Amino acid sequence: MATFLYKLGRLAFRRRHFVALIWVALLTLAGVGAASAPPAGNSSFSIPGTEAQKAFDLLEQRFPGASADGATARVVFKAPSGEKMTDASNKATVEKTVDELADGSEVASVADPYTGNAVSKDGAIAYASVKYDVSGMELEESTKDALEDAAQQARDSGLTVEIGGDALQAVPETGATEVIGIAVAAVVLVITFGSLVAAGLPLLTALIGVGIGVSSITALASALELGSTTSILAMMIGLAVGIDYALFIVSRYRAELAEGREREEAAGRAVGTAGSAVVFAGLTVVIALVGLAVVNIPMLTKMGVAAAGTVAIAVLIALTMIPALLGYAGRRVKPAGAKGKRLGRFRKDDPKPDQPAGQPKANLGTRWASFVVRRPLAVLLLGVIGLGAAAVPAASLELGLPDDGSQPTSTTQRRAYDLLSEGFGPGFNGPLMVVVDAKGSDAPKDAFDDVAGEIKGLDGVVAVTPPAPNKGGDTATITVVPDSKPSSVQTEDLVHAIRDAGGDIEAKTGAETLVTGSTAMNIDVSEKLNDALVPYLVLVVGLAFLLLIVVFRSILVPLKAALGFLLSVMAALGAVVAVFQWGWLSGLMGVEETGPVMSMMPIFMVGVVFGLAMDYEVFLVTRMREAYVHGEKPNQAVVTGFKHGARVVTAAAVIMMAVFAGFIGSSESMVKMIGFGLAIAVFFDAFVVRMAIVPAVLALLGKKAWWLPKWLDRALPNVDVEGEGLRTAAERGTGPDEDRELVRT
């Protein structure tokens, strides 16, 4: 591996014009594809194998033309204090609004509140339901404007009017904080390298990689039905790993220059050593993201594959474009320890002019590692106890999917939600749709009535509408309004109670009862994700464990890496619960409404954090193993690894945290939550697990850390991440000319 990448790095350095041209051409091609692609429609949200999805599919089959996936809007009216919606003037305003809404070109139907029993008992609140022929993401702007204009005209007459539903659904925005995150990354790179040119290379290559990845996703969004958050998440992860991977290679290049190597040779060795770590670190991230497919939720699978593709592009760019750009930069990229004239010539850990040569001051990483190997047990206990305390809130984790009730109170969707709860009860915002399939029943109408009667007798039910059969008379829908809000445990219990009662009815009448609707679908998604979490962990951690055995040629080091990951991810989940569910520091994070944690959040965060955690494990521990296999004692190898890697790993972690934290400003609650969760998880994993617990465990294990059964050592392929093959070639006297000849052949 190291030898191949060494050759690739030198080839890219020497043929830099060709390499740069290829990547610029790919970026241009992806950009043209994105610009010419049709706009993405609404991504299909399906959860195969669940009852809610089965019922939804049955509705499309038995009720053709009903636009089951069409956008909906609820225009909610509230009368001024002391008046009622049934007053003549208010009624006239509402009827005029309904007539205006019905004139829309994409409107399928509008339900008048006065003929559809949509006025509250006290007469203060009413609503009109609007059904559209197309999904919310496909609605024309003119249709949305007409909806808002009609509501504004009703407001002008003195009514309070708000709009709920998904008709006003907008593409999520990330906010200005994303730019701030990139700016922070730039500052950290300048401080790390002491050179504007060296700092600019990781940013440039990361932006090119993200540009190719996101443009490709945009170009394919319509054809593959990719959701609006897919490109944002791919950008978030691709930007973070792209900067980090390039950072490690540029840092190693400067270290090779400091040892007196020529620039082409230094580029080859940087790609051969640090590039090997990049390949395996990227591979663990890709495994974690592609592994999301085991959940069998198409939207989550697409998100994972798209993000994994962006990570793969980041790896390829780091291995090829970074050495090419280093060739362009020439002497403007200084050896490690040397800085440009504007930023000073010496680092604080380099020998000063009056300091004896060969006795540089130990850097912070060396001093910290020396402390840890002297007090390993104390550091280990402190780190584990601290992460355990942070993980305590995770025991109260509640899962759910967002609805209008989780929107900020400043939005019209949230205000409409609150008005409906006030006028019709909390369960009105999350009605359950019961689908009765009586095709196998001898008396379908009687079966419909039996189901409706059985549901009326259940606890927690406020209202049950009469069965509404289809034209064929073999299928009917029944709407059930719970007395609890959609995301509550009581509503979940009611869904299970209806399904249990449906089993008894089917045994008596032959009619199958299915529960669907957004509330039931959210419940099914949460249960499906919970059930998939353990198999996902086993698959991803198992594959990465095997991969790390090959990389480190050890059993205990990969085991320690996996256990450390579990600590950091549980602590991160605890922090997410504390902020988004309990409301701690919610104002600082811009969280206007607390509630259940997004159902997809834990499993998605587990996948991404595992891949990123292995990044730091590979980058830091390969330096330790490199020192160990070259003859150093175990504890000294730990210190050496920190001497060379701590500064760069710290910079990489700060950059990744800054990039992820930049997405906390997103208007999309899932993106905001994932941005915070990933940022805090990187903090826990990089600074507590990898910087404290890992060296402490290695110091306690000593030589045992690198133990591998002889039979397994013979069976495993030698990937040579440490670059031992390059050292051997150097000892044989193989020079640049001979290696250049190898590349040609």
Side-chain angles (χ1 to χ4, degrees), residues 85 179 192 258 271 290 465 510:
M85 290 305 305
V179 179
T192 302
V271 176
V290 174
T465 64

Side-chain angles (χ1 to χ4, degrees), residues 316-615:
L316 292 174
I317 282 188
L319 297 178
T320 56
M321 194 167 188
I322 281 293
L325 293 180
L326 289 172
Y328 284 118
R331 297 185 180 278
R332 287 185 291 272
V333 176
K334 308 293 183 183
K339 292 190 176 183
K341 295 179 181 179
R342 292 184 180 179
L343 297 172
R345 181 170 180 77
F346 296 99
R347 285 203 318 232
K348 65 180 182 180
D349 53 334
D350 293 324
K352 303 301 184 288
D354 58 346
Q355 188 174 335
Q359 298 180 16
K361 181 182 176 181
N363 62 21
L364 182 60
T366 302
R367 297 197 299 274
W368 169 249
S370 299
F371 169 77
V372 173
V373 297
R374 287 198 307 268
R375 301 284 188 273
L377 188 58
V379 173
L380 176 62
L381 291 176
L382 187 62
V384 171
I385 292 172
L387 290 179
V392 169
S396 302
L397 177 67
E398 296 178 10
L399 298 179
L401 286 178
D403 54 22
D404 286 346
S406 61
Q407 298 249 21
T409 52
S410 58
T411 62
T412 185
Q413 292 94 330
R414 171 59 189 276
R415 292 196 292 264
Y417 180 97
D418 291 340
L419 285 176
L420 289 172
S421 295
E422 177 187 341
F424 301 92
F428 191 78
N429 283 293
L432 306 174
M433 179 176 286
V434 178
V435 181
V436 185
D437 181 6
K439 201 166 188 178
S441 175
D442 295 332
K445 189 176 183 305
D446 293 339
F448 301 153
D449 294 336
D450 287 345
V451 172
E454 189 75 24
I455 294 174
K456 286 180 182 178
L458 296 176
D459 294 334
V461 175
V462 171
V464 178
T465 64
N470 63 347
K471 291 182 180 179
D474 57 0
T475 307
T477 59
I478 302 171
T479 301
V480 180
V481 179
D483 65 1
S484 52
K485 63 181 182 179
S487 58
S488 67
V489 176
Q490 293 84 352
T491 301
E492 183 177 348
D493 292 340
L494 177 60
V495 170
H496 291 302
I498 294 174
R499 288 172 174 171
D500 292 341
D504 297 334
I505 293 173
E506 184 175 7
K508 290 188 296 184
T509 66
E512 184 179 11
T513 302
L514 305 170
V515 185
T516 189
S518 61
T519 301
M521 191 164 285
N522 290 353
I523 292 170
D524 287 350
V525 167
S526 298
E527 292 180 351
K528 191 176 181 69
L529 288 166
N530 282 336
D531 293 342
L533 186 57
V534 173
Y536 174 71
L537 274 173
V538 171
L539 173 68
V540 172
V541 176
L543 287 176
F545 179 76
L546 295 176
L547 185 65
L548 292 178
I549 289 177
V550 174
V551 173
F552 295 126
R553 307 195 77 78
S554 163
I555 297 293
L556 296 180
V557 171
L559 180 61
K560 172 240 352 156
L563 294 177
F565 151 73
L566 292 176
L567 274 174
S568 60
V569 80
M570 289 305 298
L573 278 176
V576 169
V577 170
V579 173
F580 290 88
Q581 189 174 309
W582 291 359
W584 293 5
L585 301 177
S586 57
L588 182 63
M589 297 298 163
V591 180
E592 296 189 34
E593 187 67 27
T594 60
V597 172
M598 199 86 55
S599 296
M600 294 184 183
M601 175 66 188
I603 198 163
F604 190 84
M605 192 172 77
V606 163
V608 176
V609 172
F610 182 78
L612 300 181
M614 295 307 104
D615 278 5

Side-chain angles (χ1 to χ4, degrees), residues 95-119:
E95 289 177 341
K96 180 181 177 182
T97 303
V98 169
D99 290 341
E100 291 177 356
L101 291 172
D103 289 338
S105 60
E106 295 179 307
V107 175
S109 63
V110 181
D112 189 310
Y114 303 102
T115 59
N117 193 26
V119 180

Side-chain angles (χ1 to χ4, degrees), residues 590-644:
V591 180
E592 296 189 34
E593 187 67 27
T594 60
V597 172
M598 199 86 55
S599 296
M600 294 184 183
M601 175 66 188
I603 198 163
F604 190 84
M605 192 172 77
V606 163
V608 176
V609 172
F610 182 78
L612 300 181
M614 295 307 104
D615 278 5
Y616 301 119
E617 181 76 14
V618 170
F619 289 131
L620 194 58
V621 180
T622 48
R623 272 290 196 169
M624 299 177 189
R625 174 165 174 78
E626 186 176 343
Y628 177 75
V629 299
H630 292 159
E632 292 188 9
K633 292 183 179 180
N635 281 9
Q636 184 56 42
V638 171
V639 175
T640 300
F642 268 77
K643 175 184 176 182
H644 294 294

